Amino acid sequence: DQYFVLHGDLAVLRDRGLLDNFVGGERAERKNAKGGDDGFAEYMELRDPPPEGEEADPAEPYLARYRLPLIDKVIISGLVRGQSVSRPGLIIESVVSTADVLGDAADPTIWQAIPRRAKRDADLGPPTPYRGLAAYLQVTQLRFQPGALLVECHAVLEEPYGWFNGRNLLASKLATASNENVRSLRRKLAKAMEEAAAENGANREP
C-alpha cells in the first residue's frame, strides 16, 4: 500500500499517459545488474491493441500482457484483466490475474528465477506456474487544495517460497524501488506541466 501527493493538473497526468508509464506501460530492455547493455524485457501492454490509426476505448475492460522483474531476483509474466475509469477529478486503474487467463497458451502466468550471473532471457531459470497479482491505483483531485492530487496504490501478489527461500527480501527492497518510481513520476509531471504551459502560451499568440 502506498499513498502520496502530486502537484499538477489531473488532465495533463491523464492525457500524456504518465500513469501508464508509472504502472509499467513502457516497453524496455532492462539493464542487467552490472550495468551491461543486455538485460531482461519489461513491459505492460495491451494483448489485442486496436488496428493502426485507431485508439482503444478507455472505458472498455482490456486484456494486457505483462513482464516484470522483481529486485533482480525473479521475473513474473502473464496476463491480467484491467479496467480504467476517468471522471472529473478522478482517475482509477485496476488489474487482476483472473483464473481464466492463468493457463493461457500464448502468455501463461509464470515466474522464473534470475540466476546470479544471468545477463539475458536465455539465462533465466525454468518457467514455473504462478497464481498472479492484483493492483489498484486511484488519483483524486483535492478540491480544498488546488493543484494537489492524492494518489493511492494498492497491490497484492503471491510470493512462492521458491523465490527467496523464506528470506524477507521484497519488504526490504520494494519500498526503495517504489519511492524512486514516485520521484520519477513527480519529475515527469513537472516537465509535462511546463510543456503544456508553453504549448498553451504558443496557442494564444496572434
Side-chain angles (χ1 to χ4, degrees), residues 11-12 15-16 190-206:
V12 172
D15 297 343
R16 307 216 171 200
K191 181 179 180 181
M193 292 291 294
E194 292 177 358
E195 293 173 348
E199 291 169 4
N200 290 335
N203 291 336
R204 286 196 295 268
E205 292 180 0

Side-chain angles (χ1 to χ4, degrees), residues 106-181:
D107 296 289
T109 301
I110 59 172
W111 68 270
Q112 294 175 273
I114 304 177
R116 180 173 297 179
R117 293 179 175 80
K119 294 183 177 180
R120 55 187 65 86
D121 289 348
D123 301 327
L124 297 175
T128 302
Y130 182 56
R131 293 176 59 189
L133 52 84
Y136 175 92
L137 181 147
Q138 177 173 317
V139 185
T140 306
Q141 183 175 318
L142 302 180
R143 293 185 178 181
F144 59 84
Q145 184 66 42
L149 308 173
L150 174 63
V151 184
E152 306 174 49
C153 307
H154 308 278
V156 60
L157 69 163
E158 181 197 18
E159 183 182 332
Y161 183 84
W163 280 11
F164 313 118
N165 297 323
R167 292 177 294 167
N168 189 22
L169 293 182
L170 278 183
S172 61
K173 304 269 187 188
L174 278 185
T176 300
S178 296
N179 289 337
E180 177 53 37
N181 285 344

Side-chain angles (χ1 to χ4, degrees), residues 23-44:
V23 296
E26 292 179 305
R27 173 178 279 272
E29 290 298 323
R30 196 163 179 269
K31 299 292 186 180
N32 63 54
K34 297 187 181 298
D37 291 333
D38 45 5
F40 311 110
E42 178 178 358
Y43 52 82
M44 173 78 80

